[in-house]
Amino acid sequence: MSRHEPGPAAAPSSRRDARRRATQADALATEALQQHRLGMLTEAEILYREALSVQPDHADSLHGMGVLARIGGRSDLGVAFIGRAVRARPEVAHYYIDLGQALAELGHAEEARAALQVAVLREPDDPRAHVALATTLERLGRFDEAIASRRTATSLAPDDAQSWHQLGALLGRLGRLAEAEAAFRRTVALLPEDAGALANLGGLLFERHQLDEAGTLLRQAAATGTPSPATLSNLGLVLMAQGDVVEAERQLGRAAELAPAEDAILVNRGSVLTDLGRHAEAEACFRTVETRAPAGSDHAARARFNRATVLLATADLRGRGPDDTARLQEGWALFEARRSLVSAAAPASARQLPEWDGHTPADGAALLLHAEQGLGDAIQFLRYVPLAARLGPVVLALPAPLLGLARHFADPHCRVVPLDDPAIGSCGARASLLSLPHLLHAPAPPPFVPYLSASDEPALREFVGSLPGLRVGLAWAGSPTYRFDRRRSMRLADLAPLAGVAGVSLVSLQQGAAASDVAPDGMRLVVPPAPLSDLATTAALIAELDLVVSVDTAIAHLAGALGRPVWLLNRFGGDWRWQEGGTGPDGHSLWYPSLRQFRQAEPLPPDQAWLDPVARLASALADRARQ
């Protein structure tokens, strides 16, 4: 070999040059990363590009360029750059995190999941990998796996408030509210003065009916910096549920001013305006949402349903005004929007049946009518069943508490069955009881005659007969699971003025936890000798009493449908069916002529709201007892 001929001696020089270029590129990339962290993105990009001019396959610089591309909204470039970085150094776990996120941003969820799974496998102790994987799993609808990944992230970084928040938000969306509450409580523990953390926990506690703590948290959130419209809206809803509708309207008004285009907030504001009796303003809110919300959206359905309640509350049920009948017809048509908001589904065995259109079912098959919502609603709308039964045979499917009572429903064309009766599936069509006014084109209910009757119960007759004076049944509370129960229910102590009324025997009709309320001093409240196990037994007792006093619960409907005297203690505003459109000039209900209202005259807080109506009721009761 000639001494001038190239040989192996050139290799060390080439390696030294490569090391020099790598060192130079590393230094440039390190400086670029520092600029990047300081937010100097243009300067960072210049340095990354310079590093790549020195070493085109410099992995950290390729990765940095990819991250900058994502920040700039070019996830496609991000994938290209980071993909090259991965090929250059496939062992680096955090490259896969950014690659997976860029792929997800492009809508390539499965490819993103695969990349992020590699990141987790290569660096299982990096919480960022688990967070990114969880986000992609959510997009894929793999929620159990997403929850597991978020839980792993919180275990690896227990002081990361954002990670706890993300876990709570996912659990909340899936209806796992107790677990979501625990996660949000951890977020608040880490960020005790953060408005968002306080508001999220407060909103969740409202969903869980923990109103007092929810209100405290939402007030704290609203007082921390500039409150968000969502925080003010949730605070308004809590205040409504607590009974402070005046302050609720103020907070919802603030929310609507801050976010005038937010349909959910405007619907909420319309709801509180309805409760305040400001029906024209409420209707305007609902019409706005109906006009601008996407057809078929929840917001549009809520607006339609709530506007229905305004129409049904204000139009004279007798149709005496020139516009009343039209408003009632529109109200019942809009009332159908509830079917996309509440459980109005037919029994499972009947879901294959066609929906009834108001005409005779084909081939003379029976029509299935089924209950929905509360027991009081079912009792009220049973009044329409005879109209439907004129068109052909009816099968009436009801929940268990109504079965014994409805078997006294006097119509030979109507057969009462439980909701799980297999015969339901042989009917020709189905409809909800609450849809009958619309389907039958009957905007006003048929003329009232008592449409329920009670069985004769000798033991109850003997029990009531042994009581002296005027025999009055009391029901002071509804189901506490109803979100706004604090406004319609009361404590037994609120009825203390009745203890001073002479010549009256008070009989408890109360069921549930409130039945254990301790009677106020001086009140003798008699408990029936046998449990009121179902509404049939309750009806038998009511039939023996002289009068029923009730808040807005199924007991009021039951007494009214039996034609028995009933005095309704009602909140200000109150449900649509007790409003001016359904009330005659003498103050009696047009739904139940035997029902008289004692309504709160002002929208006062619950600790004051019942003082006036109970005082008026006690005075009227004393007059009645003297007759």
Side-chain angles (χ1 to χ4, degrees):
M1 178 184 295
S2 165
R3 62 170 133 183
H4 301 293
E5 193 175 7
S13 175
S14 176
R15 286 195 294 271
R16 283 195 300 273
D17 186 56
R19 284 196 298 271
R20 179 186 59 76
R21 290 196 304 274
T23 299
Q24 184 181 359
D26 286 343
L28 288 166
T30 299
E31 186 178 354
L33 183 59
Q34 292 172 346
Q35 296 296 316
H36 190 161
R37 287 171 175 167
L38 292 171
M40 311 290 286
L41 302 186
T42 301
E43 291 80 357
E45 182 177 350
I46 292 171
L47 290 166
Y48 282 136
R49 289 189 181 280
E50 189 174 345
L52 290 172
S53 70
V54 173
Q55 185 178 355
D57 62 348
H58 189 261
D60 283 347
S61 296
L62 290 167
H63 173 255
M65 287 294 294
V67 172
L68 289 177
R70 285 186 59 214
I71 293 172
R74 291 296 307 274
S75 296
D76 53 341
L77 285 179
V79 169
F81 276 116
I82 301 172
R84 289 173 60 193
V86 166
R87 288 191 293 273
R89 292 187 63 193
E91 75 281 3
V92 181
H94 70 267
Y95 291 175
Y96 292 92
I97 298 176
D98 288 300
L99 177 61
Q101 290 175 323
L103 286 165
E105 288 160 359
L106 293 172
H108 305 315
E110 185 54 44
E111 292 86 345
R113 184 207 60 77
L116 292 165
Q117 196 70 57
V118 172
V120 167
L121 291 171
R122 291 183 182 270
E123 194 57 67
D125 293 333
D126 185 346
R128 297 173 302 166
H130 295 280
V131 168
L133 178 58
T135 300
T136 297
L137 289 168
E138 285 185 47
R139 289 193 177 110
L140 289 167
R142 295 163 64 166
F143 297 118
D144 288 341
E145 295 170 78
I147 290 170
S149 290
R150 293 214 181 277
R151 291 197 185 281
T152 300
T154 57
S155 68
L156 292 170
D159 293 333
D160 184 348
Q162 179 67 13
S163 191
W164 284 106
H165 164 73
Q166 290 169 337
L167 174 60
L170 173 58
L171 290 165
R173 287 196 299 273
L174 296 176
R176 295 166 61 168
L177 300 186
E179 296 169 86
E181 179 185 335
F184 281 147
R185 287 193 182 279
R186 179 63 177 163
T187 307
V188 169
L190 292 167
L191 299 172
E193 297 185 7
D194 183 81
L198 294 166
N200 287 328
L201 178 57
L204 181 76
L205 292 177
F206 173 56
E207 291 294 320
R208 302 201 73 201
H209 306 286
Q210 298 177 37
L211 298 180
D212 294 331
E213 188 179 2
T216 298
L217 289 164
L218 288 165
R219 286 184 181 90
Q220 286 180 283
T224 303
T226 302
S228 72
T231 296
L232 295 173
S233 182
N234 282 336
L235 176 56
L237 291 175
V238 170
L239 289 164
M240 282 179 67
Q242 290 177 320
D244 192 350
V245 290
V246 173
E247 180 62 15
E249 194 279 325
R250 191 177 79 84
Q251 297 297 344
L252 284 162
R254 291 175 64 197
E257 288 176 3
L258 291 172
E262 182 59 54
D263 290 333
I265 291 174
L266 195 57
V267 171
N268 291 340
R269 182 157 192 257
S271 297
V272 74
L273 289 169
T274 301
D275 273 4
L276 286 168
R278 293 159 60 179
H279 292 123
E281 295 173 78
E283 189 171 354
C285 290
F286 301 140
R287 282 189 183 276
T288 297
V289 176
E290 285 181 72
T291 300
R292 74 187 186 193
S297 67
D298 282 350
H299 297 322
R302 287 182 62 207
R304 287 172 62 82
F305 174 73
N306 285 331
R307 188 160 70 86
T309 65
V310 172
L311 293 171
L312 296 175
T314 56
D316 191 318
L317 201 61
R318 296 163 296 181
R320 293 192 173 186
D323 299 325
D324 285 322
T325 299
R327 284 174 63 82
L328 287 170
Q329 288 173 333
E330 183 182 10
W332 289 123
L334 292 171
F335 198 63
E336 292 298 283
R338 76 189 186 283
R339 299 175 61 200
S340 63
L341 300 171
V342 298
S343 177
S349 59
R351 289 175 190 162
Q352 79 283 1
L353 297 178
E355 294 187 1
W356 191 46
D357 61 2
H359 301 291
T360 306
D363 302 322
L367 167 65
L368 172 68
L369 299 178
H370 63 87
E372 63 164 285
Q373 299 192 47
L375 298 177
D377 296 286
I379 292 171
Q380 178 183 0
F381 285 87
L382 283 173
R383 184 167 172 181
Y384 285 87
V385 171
L387 294 182
R390 292 176 186 174
L391 302 176
V394 166
V395 171
L396 182 59
L398 297 174
L402 286 173
L403 288 173
L405 174 68
R407 289 197 174 100
H408 296 282
F409 193 58
D411 194 305
H413 303 290
C414 180
R415 181 163 66 97
V416 178
V417 301
L419 289 170
D420 59 355
D421 192 295
I424 286 173
S426 62
C427 293
R430 60 181 171 90
S432 163
L433 286 174
L434 274 64
S435 294
L436 290 180
H438 172 61
L439 293 172
L440 294 169
H441 305 288
F448 182 84
V449 293
Y451 54 91
L452 292 179
S453 60
S455 59
D456 181 36
E457 299 283 349
L460 290 175
R461 186 173 64 253
E462 181 180 351
F463 159 68
V464 174
S466 69
L467 300 175
L470 189 73
R471 285 78 58 94
V472 179
L474 292 184
W476 57 89
S479 170
T481 60
Y482 173 54
R483 178 173 289 179
F484 300 107
D485 181 62
R486 285 197 190 182
R487 291 199 59 220
R488 61 97 180 256
S489 292
M490 51 198 310
R491 302 166 303 166
L492 181 56
D494 294 324
L495 292 170
L498 302 190
V501 179
V504 173
S505 290
L506 300 176
V507 179
S508 176
L509 297 175
Q510 185 61 47
Q511 294 293 291
S516 62
D517 285 0
V518 177
D521 291 343
M523 176 182 285
R524 182 173 180 268
L525 183 67
V526 183
V527 177
L532 302 178
S533 55
D534 59 21
L535 287 178
T537 305
T538 306
L541 176 57
I542 288 173
E544 301 297 333
L545 296 170
D546 299 307
L547 174 66
V548 168
V549 172
S550 177
V551 294
D552 185 7
T553 70
I555 295 297
H557 289 275
L558 177 58
L562 290 165
R564 301 299 299 157
V566 52
W567 290 357
L568 176 68
L569 282 161
N570 201 8
R571 65 188 186 271
F572 183 86
D575 197 77
W576 59 268
R577 69 202 81 205
W578 312 125
Q579 293 292 309
E580 59 265 32
T583 304
D586 58 356
H588 284 71
S589 169
L590 298 177
W591 284 101
Y592 306 113
S594 64
L595 186 147
R596 174 185 175 188
Q597 289 195 60
F598 292 80
R599 189 196 300 254
Q600 296 170 3
E602 299 179 74
L604 298 173
D607 60 343
Q608 305 171 42
W610 291 115
L611 297 176
D612 173 66
V614 171
R616 287 187 281 115
L617 184 140
S619 177
L621 194 59
D623 291 342
R624 179 76 176 266
R626 286 193 291 267
Q627 293 176 3

